[in-house]
Amino acid sequence: MLKAAGCCADDWANVFATDTFDPKKVCACRFYGKVVLGNCQLVDSTIADCTLADGCKVIGVRLLKGYTVETRSLLRNIGELSADSQPYMPRLSPMNENGRRAIGVFRDMTVGDAFLWAKHRGEKAVMGKLQQLAENEAALKPIGHVGKDCAITNCLCIRNVAVADGSTIESCTSIEDGVVGNNCHIANGVIAQRFLLGENVCLLNGLRLSDSVVGDNSTLACCEVVASMLFPAHEQHHNNSFLIAATLLGQCNIAAGATIGSNHNSRHPDGELLAGRGFWPALCSSFKHPSRFASYCLLAKADYPFELNIPLPFALVNNNVAKNRLEIMPAYWWLHNMYALKRNALKFKKRDHRTYKRQHIEFDLLAPDTVEEIIDARRLIKAWTLQAYNPATAGVSRPDERQIEIVAHGIENSKRKVLLLKPGKAYEAYGDMLVYYAMKTLTGNGSRLNPHYDCKSTDRVKKWHNIGGQLVADTDLEKLFADMQQFTSWNDIHMRFDNLWNTYAEQRQRHAWLVLLDLLLADDIDDTQWLNLLDRYDTICAEIERQADLSRAKDFNNPFRLMTFDSVEERDAVLND
């Protein structure tokens, strides 16, 4: 019947059919090598060394080679969709253009897996074990795989790309050597080479992507991203921005005109940029590699001419060209943009439409990683303030900021001044942020009773690692490395991270308690102190609501914001959330 329908094969003995196969659904196809056919629809396609499950459709594919296509998936109008027959693991070089952080990618790999492998190059035994486990995964899970309920249409060439369940690829020129996570969407002229996508990722509108890892819930469009490691909830969709050799730890937004990666301070392209969660450079910003930024740094529009090391979270950074100095306002978000801070705290969870959620993600703005940055920032502000005074006045707790300049040190690789703006207010704001984090964490279960944790302030874990979005205590990561040689599959690593995630809430509560002990310089918190903390927490919560309303009210009270509307009713219909 297949011959009568215009089909041919190099050897019909290698064409197999399952019990559900219906030959009436196949016409004008060419078969090469071993082909296994379920109850699928095949029209005018060349199929070599493939397994096609029930319910899939292959229509007008000029070459389909080396793939297993799962049920209910559609392949239509494709020039080439092929994979190597031998065990093949695509390799990419994220974080650095010199290629010395190269990793392999395989099916079911998470962003955390990729970062763990690319980052910790000093752990040679761990690196060797990860290479071994990855090779085993690649052998067990061939790269030539299209999952269930996928749609790949109107594409020119796709080679050695695994596509997980629910993903779509349409109208793309070239997609090669990568892994597409669950429920991803790639469309409209995207060119991607050597990549790993997490779950629920969108690549759109002429994006150029290579040697990069893109985290869950991210959207990239119109731009160029090379040799980068992007954690979940990354947004970059302007056609005049590019990002090279950067590691951004999630919830970041790259504005139009941002050119990150164009400047290196050496004769080789081996610089790196590392930014914590919430990194947000303004329009047309550029930076010199290497640079490092604490979490939630907002950088004003500028060309930053020197390498930067910004340890102050939630800060506004400005290159003041007129006065030839760098200016930093610590805790800017808390002091002046509470509405945006509150909105960000909600939107990342709201936009998490993942189905499988293999990659665990900490969405809260105030978490152990950012809190430890705040504690360090308070220490730095205090030290810089003391340096600004002579010994006779060093005991003054809060300077008159109109009379004395607080200069920060070790921030910029230059001889010019780095000035702190409103350091006294920032110090107090950071203190409120610590209390808010700790009390919100400790009362999050609905109880406002004193938990009385039996631990000392010295027990606080001060170093936390962001592994693809999941926060891991330094001691737990060290134990993972110590146990690595006993693991027999990469799934053992995933199980360890699952177990750590299950205990993370308790770890965070203990951390919050110890932060309070550090703030109070105490070994315990009695009930009277606890009631005072509850009162302060309630006051802070009320102030957050008030400041958020004030921030948003500026959009309605500013006459320049209203001049394009003919009536209050029109304004409210357009601007109200």
Side-chain angles (χ1 to χ4, degrees):
M1 291 184 67
L2 291 182
K3 290 182 180 179
C7 297
C8 62
D10 64 340
D11 186 350
W12 284 106
N14 288 327
V15 178
F16 300 90
T18 66
D19 294 339
T20 60
F21 175 69
D22 184 357
K24 296 178 182 179
K25 295 182 178 180
V26 181
C27 67
C29 289
R30 299 152 296 277
F31 301 104
Y32 297 90
K34 182 180 178 181
V35 177
V36 179
L37 304 176
N39 185 13
C40 50
Q41 180 182 355
L42 311 177
V43 179
D44 190 21
S45 298
T46 300
I47 300 168
D49 299 308
C50 291
T51 298
L52 308 179
D54 292 349
C56 70
K57 297 180 180 180
V58 181
I59 303 171
V61 178
R62 293 166 183 81
L63 176 61
L64 175 61
K65 179 183 178 182
Y67 267 84
T68 295
V69 181
E70 301 290 356
T71 184
R72 298 183 303 276
S73 286
L74 168 65
L75 311 180
R76 183 177 61 202
N77 192 25
I78 301 171
E80 177 185 344
L81 176 58
S82 66
D84 289 0
S85 58
Q86 299 298 322
Y88 178 77
M89 180 170 61
R91 294 189 66 82
L92 56 101
S93 299
M95 303 173 64
N96 195 307
E97 290 181 274
N98 69 3
R100 294 182 181 175
R101 292 190 183 275
I103 61 173
V105 293
F106 50 85
R107 286 162 50 194
D108 297 327
M109 189 178 192
T110 66
V111 180
D113 296 335
F115 180 73
L116 191 74
W117 191 356
K119 173 63 177 174
H120 299 280
R121 291 287 142 153
E123 302 286 344
K124 293 184 178 180
V126 172
M127 294 297 103
K129 186 63 175 182
L130 292 178
Q131 177 70 34
Q132 175 192 338
L133 295 178
E135 290 175 354
N136 293 342
E137 293 293 317
L140 292 172
K141 303 173 182 178
I143 197 69
H145 185 267
V146 175
K148 300 176 183 177
D149 301 303
C150 294
I152 304 176
T153 61
N154 303 320
C155 293
L156 182 61
C157 181
I158 300 175
R159 293 190 184 121
N160 293 316
V161 175
V163 184
D165 295 355
S167 292
T168 61
I169 304 176
E170 56 182 323
S171 303
C172 291
T173 304
S174 177
I175 312 290
E176 299 184 27
D177 291 329
V179 173
V180 178
N182 296 100
N183 299 314
C184 291
H185 181 54
I186 305 175
N188 301 335
V190 170
I191 296 177
Q193 300 173 329
R194 301 178 301 279
F195 63 91
L196 170 67
L197 306 185
E199 186 176 353
N200 193 33
V201 174
C202 289
L203 308 182
L204 305 169
N205 302 338
L207 168 75
R208 302 297 186 266
L209 179 73
S210 63
D211 289 293
S212 295
V213 177
V214 184
D216 304 34
N217 300 329
S218 296
T219 300
L220 281 73
C222 308
C223 57
E224 181 179 3
V225 177
V226 178
S228 292
M229 178 79 67
L230 310 178
F231 281 21
H234 180 88
E235 296 289 329
Q236 184 174 353
H237 34 74
H238 301 283
N239 61 7
N240 54 350
S241 70
F242 69 84
L243 185 63
I244 299 175
T247 301
L248 308 185
L249 301 187
Q251 303 163 17
C252 299
N253 191 306
I254 306 301
T259 52
I260 303 174
S262 59
N263 279 325
H264 296 273
N265 69 346
S266 68
R267 292 177 177 85
H268 298 281
D270 57 2
E272 300 179 3
L273 184 141
L274 174 63
R277 294 192 287 140
F279 178 64
W280 198 323
L283 299 169
C284 302
S285 298
S286 66
F287 307 91
K288 176 167 279 192
H289 285 41
S291 288
R292 184 175 65 176
F293 301 89
S295 300
Y296 293 94
C297 276
L298 176 64
L299 293 101
K301 177 181 177 179
D303 294 321
Y304 292 87
F306 305 103
E307 301 93 319
L308 296 173
N309 181 19
I310 309 294
L312 307 170
F314 300 94
L316 172 64
V317 182
N318 177 50
N319 180 31
N320 191 326
V321 177
K323 295 183 178 180
N324 190 31
R325 71 188 187 191
L326 188 73
E327 298 172 343
I328 304 175
M329 186 184 298
Y332 164 81
W333 290 87
W334 188 270
L335 291 170
H336 298 290
N337 203 359
M338 188 66 77
Y339 175 79
L341 201 63
K342 183 180 177 182
R343 178 176 178 269
N344 287 344
L346 299 174
K347 74 177 184 180
F348 297 120
K349 292 181 181 179
K350 185 178 180 180
R351 295 177 181 178
D352 186 14
H353 301 303
R354 296 175 299 159
T355 301
Y356 297 92
K357 300 185 178 181
R358 294 188 182 95
Q359 176 63 60
H360 304 299
I361 304 172
E362 172 60 90
F363 289 109
D364 286 347
L365 308 181
L366 293 175
D369 60 337
T370 53
V371 165
E372 287 299 328
E373 289 179 336
I374 289 173
I375 293 173
D376 290 339
R378 279 167 56 92
R379 175 182 55 80
L380 289 171
I381 292 174
K382 184 176 181 179
W384 291 330
T385 301
L386 291 174
Q387 291 176 12
Y389 281 91
N390 61 49
T393 60
V396 178
S397 59
R398 178 176 176 180
D400 185 338
E401 297 163 6
R402 294 168 297 178
Q403 299 179 7
I404 190 168
E405 291 184 339
I406 308 300
V407 177
H409 303 281
I411 300 295
E412 185 179 70
N413 187 21
S414 72
K415 295 182 180 180
R416 66 175 184 166
K417 184 184 298 182
V418 178
L419 186 67
L420 289 190
L421 306 179
K422 302 182 181 180
K425 292 181 179 179
Y427 188 87
E428 292 179 355
Y430 279 149
D432 287 343
M433 294 170 79
L434 294 178
V435 172
Y436 178 74
Y437 156 76
M439 297 303 293
K440 181 182 178 183
T441 301
L442 294 171
T443 61
N445 60 0
S447 173
R448 291 169 66 90
L449 298 177
N450 190 339
H452 287 297
Y453 280 99
D454 183 18
C455 50
K456 299 178 180 178
S457 59
T458 54
D459 296 335
R460 190 179 93 241
V461 177
K462 299 180 180 180
K463 187 174 183 180
W464 294 77
H465 300 269
N466 187 339
I467 309 295
Q470 179 176 354
L471 301 186
V472 177
D474 185 60
T475 51
D476 290 328
L477 187 63
E478 290 181 354
K479 190 174 189 309
L480 171 65
F481 288 162
D483 296 342
M484 188 77 73
Q485 300 304 321
Q486 304 172 18
F487 293 168
T488 58
S489 72
W490 204 288
N491 189 55
D492 292 333
I493 298 176
H494 288 170
M495 290 179 62
R496 177 64 63 87
F497 279 115
D498 289 343
N499 292 335
L500 291 174
W501 184 251
N502 292 334
T503 61
Y504 172 66
E506 181 181 352
Q507 283 184 313
R508 179 170 162 157
Q509 286 187 328
R510 293 178 65 85
H511 179 264
W513 175 262
L514 294 172
V515 166
L516 289 178
L517 294 185
D518 184 72
L519 271 175
L520 299 175
L521 301 177
D523 292 327
D524 196 9
I525 299 175
D526 61 34
D527 290 340
T528 300
Q529 291 173 310
W530 179 255
L531 291 175
N532 291 335
L533 287 169
L534 285 174
D535 289 341
R536 185 177 176 185
Y537 174 59
D538 292 339
T539 300
I540 293 172
C541 289
E543 183 65 13
I544 289 174
E545 295 299 322
R546 190 181 76 86
Q547 290 294 338
D549 290 341
L550 287 175
S551 297
R552 183 58 171 150
K554 296 175 184 178
D555 293 335
F556 294 89
N557 298 332
N558 183 348
F560 286 89
R561 284 274 293 169
L562 307 179
M563 60 188 177
T564 61
F565 302 105
D566 293 335
S567 66
V568 173
E569 290 76 17
E570 180 188 358
R571 178 203 67 183
D572 291 345
V574 174
L575 297 184
N576 268 337
D577 290 335

